[in-house]
Amino acid sequence: MKRRDFIKLAGASAALLPVAPSVFGKDQEVIRPRTNTYRLTYKVDLPSDGNKARLWLPLPDINDSAHQFSQGSVWSGNASIARFDAVPGTTSPMFYGEWRGSGPRNVTVSSVVKTTNRTVDLQHYSERRGAALPADVKRYLQATKHVPLDGIVRKTALSIVKDTNAHSSLEKAKAIYDWVVDNSYRDPETRGCGRGDIKSMLESGNLSGKCADLNTLFVGLARAAGVPARDNYGIRIDESAAHKTLGRSGDITTAQHCRPEFYLVGLGWVPVDPSDVRQLVLDEELPLGHPRVAVLREKLFGSWEMNWVAFNHARDVKLARDSVLGELPFFMYPQAEVGGHARDSLEPQEFAYNIFSSQLVGTGIKF
C-alpha cells in the first residue's frame, strides 16, 4: 500500500527579506544575491530483518530566514506509520517512519527549499554595551554533554582572548575563529563528520577531524569566552561558485556538513566556517598562507555560500525514549533501527539510503 502526505510549513507565503550582496561568485568577485530553489530527496530501503523497523530523517529547518526558506515536504512508500514531526526539544522538522512485520520497507521523502547567499556586515558593527541578550539566545552560552565550558575548554578560550587582547564579543569571536583555523586541520580518515568531542581534542592536543570537530571547537571556545554560539547541522546541495571542493550536487548521500554561528547583540547571528577553510587547504594541498586560502578565510568569517541547507542545531538528541539508538551527539544523518538493532548511519549502502538534490527552475512547486 502506498501512502502520501503533504505538509505546508509555516510562512510559506512570506517574502524573503533583503540581504547584503554575496561575496561568493565567479573569480571571487562580489555578485548580487540570487535565490535558488532545490528539491532534497531521501530514498530509503531498509532490510527486512525482524518484525519491526523505525526510521528518522532530518529535514530542512522550517524557521524561515533571509537565507533559507522551506516550502514543504512529501512522502511516499509502504510504511505502516509515517508522520512529519519535530526533533525532540526543538521546532526543527524530521520525518518518522515505522514498519510492523517483515518484508520490503521503503520510503521516499522530498523537501523543497529556497536559499540565498548570506553575508553579514561586520565593518559597521558597534557593540552595544550593557545590552541584554534575548532570552532564546542565552541557552547558547550553556554547556552540553559534549561541549563542556570548564576545565581545559575555558582555560584555552581565556588564553586566546588574553593573547589577542580581545574585549568585545566580535573581537573574541574573530580571535577564536583565527585560532581554530591556525591550529586545527582536517583528517580525511575521520568517519562521517566527526563527533565534536572538544574536551578530548584539547586534552590530547590533537586538533584534527572534520566539520563536527573543528566547528564545534569554535562553538565551545566561543561560549566559554562569553559569546553565544551554535552549530547548524545540514547538508550541501549544490556545486560551489567559489571552490569546487566546497560543493556537491546530484547524489549528496555523503555531503553532510555543519556550520557554526555566533551572536552579536543588535546584529543577530553571524555565520562562520573555519572547517571549510581547512578543507580547502587539505583538498587543494595549499599552504595556509596561500592567497586562495586567505581570501576564503576572510569570507567565511561573516558569510556563507548557500549551496547548503540547515536541518537543526540540536545537541545530545534522543529521537525516542525507547530507541536502541541511545543519545546522539547531533542529528545530521538518517537514523534507523531494524529488528531491535541500530543501523550504522555512516554506511549508507548497508543502511540503506541515498540522498539526492536537484535545482528547480521556475516558481511552481513540483514534488
Side-chain angles (χ1 to χ4, degrees):
M1 179 180 73
K2 282 199 170 187
R3 304 175 67 187
R4 184 174 178 89
D5 198 2
F6 177 75
I7 179 172
K8 278 199 170 184
L9 305 180
S13 61
L16 289 175
L17 299 175
V19 296
S22 168
V23 296
F24 293 94
K26 187 177 180 180
D27 300 325
Q28 307 299 318
E29 294 176 354
V30 175
I31 61 173
R32 294 184 63 80
R34 183 181 64 179
T35 298
N36 291 321
T37 304
Y38 301 96
R39 179 189 292 111
L40 174 71
T41 301
Y42 291 95
K43 292 187 176 181
V44 183
D45 288 282
L46 294 178
S48 58
D49 306 355
N51 293 319
K52 185 177 179 180
R54 306 169 80 184
L55 171 71
W56 295 265
L57 302 175
L59 299 176
D61 202 347
I62 62 172
N63 296 302
D64 296 327
S65 65
H67 57 277
Q68 180 171 317
F69 180 69
S70 299
Q71 293 193 288
S73 299
V74 297
W75 76 274
S76 64
N78 64 357
S80 304
I81 298 173
R83 63 176 179 264
F84 291 96
D85 210 338
V87 179
T90 78
T91 59
S92 299
M94 70 176 186
F95 173 83
Y96 174 74
E98 183 177 314
W99 288 261
R100 296 174 178 176
S102 58
R105 296 161 174 158
N106 61 79
V107 71
T108 298
V109 180
S110 292
S111 303
V112 172
V113 59
K114 290 185 177 182
T115 69
T116 301
N117 287 343
R118 181 181 180 191
T119 300
V120 175
D121 182 7
L122 296 173
Q123 289 186 327
H124 300 95
Y125 175 73
S126 179
E127 187 160 294
R128 302 176 184 176
R129 293 186 179 181
L133 285 172
D136 62 342
V137 174
K138 291 181 180 179
R139 63 190 177 111
Y140 297 110
L141 281 170
Q142 299 174 0
T144 69
K145 181 177 180 180
H146 293 91
V147 185
L149 303 183
D150 57 359
I152 193 168
V153 178
R154 178 172 172 78
K155 180 180 178 180
T156 303
L158 295 182
S159 176
I160 295 169
V161 169
K162 181 180 179 181
D163 290 347
T164 57
N165 197 32
H167 297 287
S168 69
S169 294
L170 177 57
E171 290 170 342
K172 291 177 182 179
K174 184 60 166 63
I176 291 168
Y177 171 85
D178 285 336
W179 187 90
V180 172
V181 171
D182 288 337
N183 292 277
S184 68
Y185 63 94
R186 281 185 64 89
D187 181 0
E189 300 302 317
T190 298
R191 291 195 76 216
C193 288
R195 299 285 295 178
D197 186 354
I198 64 172
K199 179 181 178 182
S200 296
M201 292 171 66
L202 291 168
E203 287 178 341
S204 68
N206 182 7
L207 305 183
S208 67
K210 290 185 179 173
C211 61
D213 301 310
L214 277 56
N215 286 340
T216 301
L217 185 59
F218 170 86
V219 169
L221 292 173
R223 289 187 184 186
V227 181
R230 67 187 184 187
D231 263 318
N232 294 264
Y233 301 99
I235 193 166
R236 303 188 200 270
I237 56 172
D238 200 356
E239 304 296 334
S240 170
H243 299 280
K244 183 178 180 180
T245 188
L246 304 182
R248 188 83 64 85
S249 63
D251 187 340
I252 59 170
T253 303
T254 58
Q256 288 82 7
H257 183 60
C258 71
R259 285 175 155 176
E261 299 171 293
F262 68 94
Y263 190 87
L264 293 177
V265 175
L267 187 60
W269 289 104
V270 179
V272 296
D273 197 341
S275 173
D276 265 359
V277 179
R278 275 295 174 175
Q279 180 161 335
L280 180 66
V281 168
L282 173 68
D283 292 346
E284 297 193 9
E285 300 181 348
L286 299 173
L288 193 57
H290 192 279
R292 281 171 57 80
V293 177
V295 169
L296 184 65
R297 177 176 182 158
E298 181 180 356
K299 290 176 179 178
L300 288 179
F301 188 80
S303 297
W304 283 346
E305 182 183 10
M306 288 302 293
N307 60 333
W308 166 92
V309 295
F311 294 144
N312 58 74
H313 35 260
R315 298 273 324 176
D316 307 330
V317 181
K318 285 188 176 181
L319 294 173
R321 293 181 180 177
D322 59 345
S323 172
V324 298
L325 295 173
E327 187 178 82
L328 306 173
F330 48 80
F331 182 34
M332 184 163 49
Y333 291 83
Q335 301 290 336
E337 56 183 55
V338 179
H341 299 281
R343 305 299 296 181
D344 188 344
S345 62
L346 303 183
E347 295 292 342
Q349 298 309 314
E350 296 178 15
F351 188 105
Y353 66 85
N354 291 97
I355 311 173
F356 302 95
S357 72
S358 58
Q359 186 171 342
L360 303 181
V361 179
T363 58
I365 302 176
K366 294 182 179 181
F367 288 96

